[in-house]
Amino acid sequence: ETKPAVLHAHFGSSALPASRIAKALGIPLVVTYHGMDITVRAKTEAEAERRRRAFAAADRVIAVSQFIADALRAAGCPDEKITLHYIGVDTQKFTPATTPRSASEVLFVGRLVEKKGVIHLERAMAAVRKVVPDATLTIAGDGPLREGLAREAEALKVPATFLGVQTPEQVQQLMRRAAVLAGPSIADNRGNAEGLPITFLEAQAS
């Protein structure tokens, strides 16, 4: 028989369903907020009320970055419930390469959606190449904006390689090879923004 001591819900959207389970089991509820679950603006008062009910139901609310902690406070989460706790990565797995890195390869890893800001990276690369003429862009990931981003790179004369979705092992090797990882995150037109992309931490460890 399983007798859990605590229930941990990842993403605020899971908080209310999880709260019913936690209440039935008589155990505390911890909810971790990661990004869009709190940065996207509530469209209706009913949605805002659901967020407040989730805050009330949680015994502890974890924010993965200061940005997310601030968004939680702005949405009405009691300050005394918020814990700022960064997510870690396996530093035994993500380690620097033993061979020399590229001097000019810029790497992006992520979904090709608006909030990832890849269009801004491509435009910045055009300026970068005036200083580093052999700079190239490698894009690992896929999404609805891929075709448009490929056209933009071609128009800007930015050498960009679109690899599509990569396995974790392939991403690890790309991070070891590239000169730098670029993560040009933005808030999209709904307010959807990231808390702290794990790829940033993996790249730092690499």
Side-chain angles (χ1 to χ4, degrees), residues 107-139:
L107 174 65
F108 169 85
V109 177
R111 292 179 299 129
L112 303 184
V113 295
E114 184 186 1
K115 76 172 179 178
K116 295 293 185 177
V118 181
I119 189 75
H120 303 290
L121 173 56
E122 290 182 334
R123 291 167 182 169
M125 284 294 295
V128 168
R129 282 177 50 80
K130 293 177 182 177
V131 182
V132 185
D134 59 345
T136 61
L137 178 59
T138 300
I139 296 175

Side-chain angles (χ1 to χ4, degrees), residues 25-45:
L25 294 173
I27 57 176
L29 172 65
V30 176
V31 183
T32 294
Y33 284 78
H34 291 270
M36 70 174 295
D37 48 353
I38 194 62
T39 62
V40 172
R41 294 177 293 274
K43 298 183 183 67
T44 64
E45 178 55 32

